[in-house]
Amino acid sequence: SLKDDMDEYFNCWWEVLMTITTVGYGDIMPFTTIGRLIIMVAAIWGAFLMSLMVVVLESIFNLPINE
């Protein structure tokens, strides 16, 4: 049940991270702590890479004011 899942502090962090990174919960998910840690690192890394890509593209297409 949801109450049982939220009794553990780590499970709460798991739910928060999956929500804020918009990864979602899905039908397939890790249940072990090490599996969840790996996915959490991958989610943060993915969010970092996406933001880096946006910054690079913005700098490529950034035009001076007079153009």
Side-chain angles (χ1 to χ4, degrees), residues 1-3 6-7 10-15 17 19 21 24 30 33-35 38 46 48-51 53 58 63 67:
S1 75
L2 182 60
K3 183 189 178 309
M6 292 300 117
D7 283 344
F10 182 76
N11 287 338
C12 295
W13 278 108
W14 166 259
E15 295 293 329
L17 185 68
T19 301
T21 59
T33 300
I34 189 68
I38 291 169
F48 170 76
L49 288 179
M50 290 302 292
S51 63
M53 185 175 64
E58 188 275 334
L63 297 174
E67 289 184 21

Side-chain angles (χ1 to χ4, degrees), residues 10-64:
F10 182 76
N11 287 338
C12 295
W13 278 108
W14 166 259
E15 295 293 329
V16 167
L17 185 68
M18 291 302 105
T19 301
I20 64 174
T21 59
T22 66
V23 170
Y25 313 108
D27 295 333
I28 300 172
M29 59 183 275
F31 290 102
T32 63
T33 300
I34 189 68
R36 286 185 173 191
L37 284 172
I38 291 169
I39 297 299
M40 289 168 76
V41 169
I44 291 171
W45 181 248
F48 170 76
L49 288 179
M50 290 302 292
S51 63
L52 185 63
M53 185 175 64
V54 168
V55 168
V56 168
L57 287 174
E58 188 275 334
S59 67
I60 289 172
F61 294 113
N62 190 13
L63 297 174

